[in-house]
Amino acid sequence: MRVLVVEDDTETAAYVTKGLTERGHVVDLATDGYQGLDRAQRGTFDAMIIDRMLPQLDGLSIIVTLRSAGINTPVLVLSALSDVDDRVQGLSAGGDDYLVKPFALSELLARVSALTRRGTSASRLNVADLEMDLLSRTVTRAGRPLDLLPREFRLLEYLMRHAGEVLTRTMLLEKVWDSHVDPQTNVIDVHVGRLRQKIDRGFAAPLLHTVRGAGYCLRAT
C-alpha cells in the first residue's frame, strides 16, 4: 500500500513513517501544505494522512482542493484540535476520519487499514464530474449518460483508478488487454481516441490527456 503523509512535525513524521514502513507500506512524505497538495495531485495513493495545521497551506484546504478535483483517496486527518466542532470541520472538509494528537501508532495503523478497506469496496469512481458506477456498469459526466463499449469501460475504469498518474501504453496493454504485444501497436491510440470523444467532447474541460512520449493521464484540469 502506498501512503502519502503530510506532516511538518519532524518527530511525528518519523514516528508515522516508521510504523507504516514496518508494516510493509510505501510512504511518501511531504512537510508543508503546498508540497503535500502537489504530491497528492500528481501521485496515486491508497491513503493519505494529513496534518491539519501545516505551513503555507493548511490540511483542510488541501482536502477541499483534492475533493473539488475529484480525487477521492481516503484521508485521515491528524490534529491537536480535539473539540467536536473541530472534528466536524475536518470531516465536512472531506476527511474520512479524524485522529487527535497524541495518538497510539496501533490506532493510526488500524484506522488507515479500515479506510483502505472501505475505499476498495466502494462501488463508484469519480474524477471531477465524471462518475462510474461499478455495480450498474454505467458512466455519466455532469449527469449525462455516456455509452461505452466493454473495452472502453475497462480502459476508463483503469484510468480512473489511477487518476493523476501517467500510464504508459505497455501498462494499458498489460492491465486492460492482458497482453504483452508490441507497445508500439496503435490499438491503444485508437481506443483512447474513441474514449476521449465520448468523455470529453462537448465539455469545456478535457479530462483525458496525452503526455507526449510517455502515455496518457486522466485528471481534472
Side-chain angles (χ1 to χ4, degrees), residues 72-204:
N72 295 312
T73 304
V75 174
L76 172 63
V77 180
L78 294 182
S79 179
L81 303 176
S82 59
D83 289 347
V84 172
D85 287 346
D86 297 318
R87 294 170 182 263
V88 170
Q89 287 175 8
L91 298 174
S92 297
D96 297 279
D97 199 356
Y98 194 103
L99 184 59
V100 176
K101 297 178 178 181
F103 54 85
L105 183 60
S106 58
E107 182 179 4
L108 179 140
L109 294 172
R111 287 178 182 246
V112 171
S113 179
L115 286 179
T116 54
R117 287 198 304 271
R118 190 185 311 166
T120 55
S121 66
S123 62
R124 291 178 184 270
L125 299 174
N126 296 85
V127 176
D129 57 355
L130 181 67
E131 181 174 293
M132 173 178 284
D133 189 316
L134 298 171
L135 297 181
S136 65
R137 308 292 289 180
T138 57
V139 177
T140 60
R141 181 162 183 192
R144 182 193 304 177
L146 305 178
D147 185 19
L148 302 185
L149 297 174
R151 184 71 69 181
E152 293 168 344
F153 186 95
R154 189 174 177 185
L155 174 60
L156 181 60
E157 179 183 352
Y158 188 71
L159 287 164
M160 292 183 76
R161 288 188 182 278
H162 296 271
E165 182 179 353
V166 177
L167 304 175
T168 66
R169 289 173 175 79
T170 300
M171 293 168 65
L172 294 175
L173 281 171
E174 292 178 353
K175 301 300 183 181
V176 180
W177 274 263
D178 298 319
S179 172
H180 295 273
V181 300
D182 183 0
Q184 298 305 314
T185 179
N186 70 348
V187 65
I188 299 293
D189 305 284
V190 170
H191 279 80
V192 168
R194 291 174 180 170
L195 180 61
R196 179 182 280 122
Q197 286 291 313
K198 293 185 177 183
I199 69 172
D200 282 344
R201 188 174 184 179
F203 296 95

